[in-house]
Amino acid sequence: MVHAHMTAWFLAVILFFVALGLHKGGKQKGFKIVQMILRVLYILILATGLGLLFSLANISMMYILKVVVGLWVIAMIEMILGRKAKGERTQVLWIQFIIAFVLVLYLGFSLPLGTYIF
Ligand code: HEM
């Protein structure tokens, strides 16, 4: 489950940058398709994340925080792409994306399941 989760979010982050590249290159059709694939990946990230969560005997506050920050990352990816599509500013969202992404990696790798780095 940890590996499925890792694969899903890693792929989502790569496709996020692919979508940004397509948008910059003016390839609107490709951008829309990647945006759709990303939405499927959100569901996979969520499902595998919840799978990990419910595999635990007791869910501590740090896990709740991990879930909230994980959802924050997904929300930022979706909102940045949504605003890009409309030609609106994304600066504030980018700052949030970076903070949330660093936090989610720290929390993910410091919590006991799977890889334990911090
Ligand atoms: C793009 C968003 C997300 C990223 C980048 C992310 C990243 C990570 C990382 C790096 C780990 C550690 C894996 C390991 O230890 O090998 C992890 C574990 C986990 N994630 Fe996520 N995650 C995201 C979204 C979510 C969501 C939405 C949920 C809940 C619905 C969730 C729930 C969990 C749980 C419960 C764990 C196990 C924690 C542990 O290591 O003990 N994640 N995630």
Side-chain angles (χ1 to χ4, degrees):
M1 196 62 103
V2 169
H3 294 119
H5 188 62
M6 290 272 263
T7 311
W9 71 252
F10 194 74
L11 209 65
V13 171
I14 291 172
L15 287 183
F16 173 44
F17 288 100
V18 169
L20 289 170
L22 287 169
H23 184 263
K24 210 170 186 173
K27 299 197 168 55
Q28 289 317 311
K29 200 169 173 170
F31 174 77
K32 281 257 174 267
I33 294 169
V34 176
Q35 210 178 10
M36 290 299 170
I37 301 172
L38 269 171
R39 288 179 184 144
V40 177
L41 282 174
Y42 301 154
I43 297 172
L44 287 179
I45 297 170
L46 203 76
T48 51
L50 288 178
L52 284 168
L53 193 70
F54 293 120
S55 73
L56 296 161
N58 57 338
I59 298 168
S60 70
M61 208 48 216
M62 287 306 264
Y63 274 98
I64 305 291
L65 199 64
K66 166 74 186 60
V67 173
V68 171
V69 180
L71 290 173
W72 186 15
V73 174
I74 294 176
M76 288 309 103
I77 292 177
E78 177 61 20
M79 284 175 75
I80 289 172
L81 293 179
R83 287 215 190 160
K84 278 265 177 216
K86 286 194 240 157
E88 293 172 6
R89 286 164 63 97
T90 51
Q91 230 164 347
V92 180
L93 296 178
W94 269 108
I95 296 167
Q96 288 189 57
F97 171 76
I98 292 164
I99 296 171
F101 193 61
V102 170
L103 257 178
V104 89
L105 289 185
Y106 173 73
L107 287 168
F109 289 129
S110 66
L111 285 167
L113 297 179
T115 321
Y116 191 51
I117 298 178
F118 300 111

